[in-house]
Amino acid sequence: MFDTVLIANRGEIAVRVIRTLRQLGVRSVAVFSDADADARHVREADTAVRLGPAAASESYLSVERLLEAAARTGAQAVHPGYGFLAENAEFARACAAAGLVFIGPPADAIALMGDKIRAKETVRAAGVPVVPGSSGSGLTDAELAAAAREIGMPVLLKPSAGGGGKGMRLVRAESALAEEIAAARREARSSFGDDTLLVERWVDRPRHIEIQVLADGHGNVVHLGERECSLQRRHQKVIEEAPSVLLDPATRAAMGEAAVQAARSCGYAGAGTVEFIVPGGDPGSYFFMEMNTRLQVEHPVTELVTGLDLVEWQLRVAAGEELPFAQEDITLTGHAVEARICAEDPSRGFLPTGGTVLSLREPSGDGVRTDSGLSEGTDVGSAYDPMLSKVIAYGPDRATALRRLRAALADTVTLGVPTNAGFLRRLLAHPSVVAGDLDTGLVEREVAGLLPAGVPPEVYAAAAAVRQAALEPVASGGWVDPFSVPSGWRLGGTPAPVVHPLRVTGLEPAIHETLPTDRFRVEPDRVTVTVDGVTHTFHRAGTWLGRDGDSWNVTDHDAVTAALLGAAGAGGTHSLTAPMPGTVTVVKVAVGDEVTTGQSLLVVEAMKMEHVISAPHDGTVTELDVTPGATVAMDQVLAVVTPPEAPQAEASPTPAPAPQEES
């Protein structure tokens, strides 16, 4: 076994790898950018090395700086985690050239399976069924469009070098092909440095099933069963489980053998995942999609049902050990489900969020595991992926695992950064999810019913109670000045109600009267209120309140200031604002341009996601406040589109001229 291992990654996966290294008695080396100087993985490692500025290209993606860090700390091996350089063949080769062991498959296997076009051709030759799609590499936009028309709509555009859903575009209409191909190329180039695309037939209501494989350097390959990953948004997984309720033993064995053959076809070694698309009505008709040549985000569910530590076996295989078990030794016991906690807002189309973690509570206990890179004080920005942590639950059966995970998500508190925890808790209670009737489009079809219907009244009551408690005078020498008590008392009349103008970020303001003092209790980290005979308890930190995985930032509403800002036109109906903190990557218009409703004007990228800013109505671009490369904050005004003035009738007996046709 190695003495020292450098982890070329950050966040929860770095913390996860450190945990296994510590159990094996191996010294861990963390690396960090300036944005992560005080991150949890930095504090938990045995030593840490600064790579550079926050930009990934100058830190986590810098091969030269990573190799320098390994040399300075005496590391013998490098664990790439997932994301960043985990599936970069040149990084694996650079490690080998520097005398370091890359804890992953051979560079040639990474290169082969990283090219989705070559990967499909290779596994097809090995007898593995593949999704019908384009053939050949380096297709032009016109060739991609022609292949899409030949396959038949709808089709899926995919980056050849990609993964994790980045750059994937579902296209249902031929008329949208040109714009979607251009957008997919931009995202692919930004995420992977390679804009090569392929096109595949889209399978309606598909299920996403993946097989975990493990191979050593002595020719042994086994599979560790499957994971169901059909619950997704924007082609990215949010809930994963093992095993899948879809597969019977015969189908499981057949898919497992296909995954083993795919691994053998590229000379694989280490832990990897073979992904299949499966028609929900015909599980026996499965198709190879791609192979991920790294550890997967959802690996904990496989660990819990097999009893194997996948990071440990990555290390042992990389150190030259032979697998001590055969396929018949692998058994799946119980059921495990994982939820990805992301800094995103489901009510705004799952757009990335950000902020500072003011209060953190992560669940644990019987059958519950949390893999996290968070700590109180962590700043969540737009430079990296929005996934913050994972909550995993295990039980003897699926119903128990689901119940434990819902309870664990209700106990999850991340105040200061809006997350999807509450949304995932409701998703796990959806009848189709409970029944195991899943497909990759379920989340987007059902999203409206999984969002809360406005702000519950007890949230405003709790926020008003916090304000009221802050107004209570402090006794001096046992005496309280009665005129300082916020009771609403007035001379010659009944007490006036004490009200607090409040506003939840992004919503209209609300006025709330303070409850009687016997109906609320305010503590440093929580507040309890009784509304309509029901008692509600919230976690609190600053202006934030949280309950059951949901959170609200309830601020004081200053009507005068709001009116002044409104009069100045800030954020008005003609203004286009940033839906998330990020970077402007494309500007398609200039001041003075005439635009039409729905026309794409700008593109903002954050946390590896693109968002197109479109014209809200016909009009003229009268302000443009950003350029490509500009960093923007959430709700920052980017541009203003002024509509044409309505035609006015002349004040004369002469009939008004007909309005000119608008362009």
Side-chain angles (χ1 to χ4, degrees), residues 21-56:
L21 292 176
R22 184 177 296 117
Q23 291 170 353
L24 295 175
V26 178
R27 178 170 170 262
S28 60
V29 178
V31 292
F32 62 94
S33 70
D34 290 345
D36 284 336
D38 194 39
R40 179 174 169 181
H41 75 278
V42 174
R43 297 197 306 270
E44 293 198 6
D46 293 306
T47 190
V49 178
R50 175 187 177 274
L51 293 176

Side-chain angles (χ1 to χ4, degrees), residues 125-431:
V128 180
V130 301
V131 182
S134 60
S135 60
S137 184
L139 299 183
T140 65
D141 289 7
E143 290 169 332
L144 283 168
R149 286 189 287 269
E150 181 178 347
I151 294 166
M153 312 304 285
V155 296
L156 189 65
L157 297 169
K158 299 174 66 174
S160 178
K166 305 295 190 301
M168 289 173 56
R169 296 270 171 158
L170 172 59
V171 188
R172 294 191 177 275
E174 287 188 21
S175 59
L177 276 170
E179 185 167 348
E180 294 291 356
I181 289 171
R185 286 204 194 277
R186 283 197 306 272
E187 288 189 42
R189 190 163 49 248
S190 171
S191 297
F192 314 112
D194 182 347
D195 66 0
T196 303
L197 301 178
L198 67 152
V199 60
E200 291 180 344
R201 176 193 297 167
W202 172 254
V203 179
D204 271 319
R205 300 181 79 92
R207 294 179 75 138
H208 184 143
I209 307 290
E210 61 188 30
I211 307 290
Q212 177 71 59
V213 296
L214 191 60
D216 61 24
H218 305 274
N220 302 303
V221 186
V222 298
H223 73 83
L224 307 181
E226 82 282 1
R227 296 185 288 256
E228 171 90 53
C229 305
S230 298
L231 293 177
Q232 307 177 3
R233 87 287 184 256
R234 300 195 312 268
H235 306 296
Q236 293 181 302
K237 308 161 192 172
V238 291
I239 301 287
E240 304 99 348
E241 59 182 297
S244 168
V245 298
L246 181 68
L247 305 189
D248 58 27
T251 306
R252 178 175 294 114
M255 290 183 69
E257 179 58 27
V260 167
Q261 292 306 316
R264 290 188 186 280
S265 72
C266 66
Y268 203 81
T273 303
V274 181
E275 302 199 352
F276 295 90
I277 197 79
V278 183
D282 185 13
S285 299
Y286 51 86
F287 301 103
F288 170 89
M289 289 196 301
E290 62 185 5
M291 184 174 187
N292 291 299
T293 54
R294 54 172 167 81
L295 195 67
Q296 289 281 92
V297 173
E298 56 272 22
H299 74 274
V301 295
T302 296
E303 293 183 323
L304 290 172
V305 298
T306 62
L308 297 172
D309 182 328
L310 290 180
V311 174
E312 177 180 349
W313 281 106
Q314 282 187 297
L315 291 161
R316 292 191 180 280
V317 166
E321 293 189 26
E322 186 173 358
L323 295 179
F325 39 78
Q327 190 62 59
E328 58 268 23
D329 300 317
I330 305 298
T331 58
L332 308 181
T333 304
H335 204 95
V337 190
E338 173 183 289
R340 301 188 186 195
I341 307 300
C342 298
E344 64 184 22
D345 186 350
S347 66
R348 301 180 70 181
F350 300 98
L351 289 176
T353 61
T356 300
V357 179
L358 305 175
S359 178
L360 180 67
R361 176 175 169 176
E362 296 179 316
S364 60
D366 188 25
V368 175
R369 161 179 165 180
T370 298
D371 286 9
S372 171
L374 292 177
S375 57
E376 288 189 359
T378 297
D379 287 321
V380 178
S382 61
Y384 311 120
D385 192 271
M387 195 180 75
L388 307 176
S389 64
K390 304 173 307 195
V391 181
I392 313 101
Y394 173 82
D397 51 52
R398 187 171 185 267
T400 302
L402 287 173
R403 185 173 62 251
R404 286 176 172 172
L405 185 52
R406 288 193 297 265
L409 291 171
D411 285 340
T412 300
V413 177
T414 315
L415 298 185
V417 179
T419 75
N420 61 344
F423 176 86
L424 296 179
R425 181 180 59 83
R426 290 184 288 275
L427 173 61
L428 289 166
H430 189 281

Side-chain angles (χ1 to χ4, degrees), residues 419-572:
T419 75
N420 61 344
F423 176 86
L424 296 179
R425 181 180 59 83
R426 290 184 288 275
L427 173 61
L428 289 166
H430 189 281
S432 294
V433 176
V434 173
D437 182 15
L438 314 175
D439 67 80
T440 58
L442 187 150
V443 173
E444 293 183 6
R445 286 197 310 272
E446 303 294 331
V447 64
L450 297 170
L451 299 173
V455 180
E458 59 268 21
V459 173
Y460 289 118
V466 171
R467 270 70 174 177
Q468 188 72 6
L471 295 175
E472 293 293 334
V474 178
S476 177
W479 179 81
V480 174
D481 179 359
F483 290 99
S484 67
V485 177
S487 63
W489 177 87
R490 54 186 175 182
L491 182 64
T494 58
V498 179
V499 298
H500 297 275
L502 303 168
R503 183 170 192 165
V504 172
T505 300
L507 301 178
E508 292 299 314
I511 306 297
H512 201 284
E513 297 183 12
T514 301
L515 297 171
T517 55
D518 62 346
R519 289 169 53 191
F520 70 84
R521 183 174 70 255
V522 177
E523 301 173 66
D525 62 347
R526 66 186 57 221
V527 55
T528 302
V529 295
T530 300
V531 178
D532 295 331
V534 179
T535 299
H536 307 268
T537 299
F538 296 86
H539 299 278
R540 61 172 290 240
T543 58
W544 286 80
L545 296 169
R547 178 188 64 183
D548 293 339
D550 291 312
S551 63
W552 301 266
N553 184 19
V554 191
T555 58
D556 295 318
H557 175 64
D558 184 339
V560 173
T561 300
L564 291 174
L565 287 174

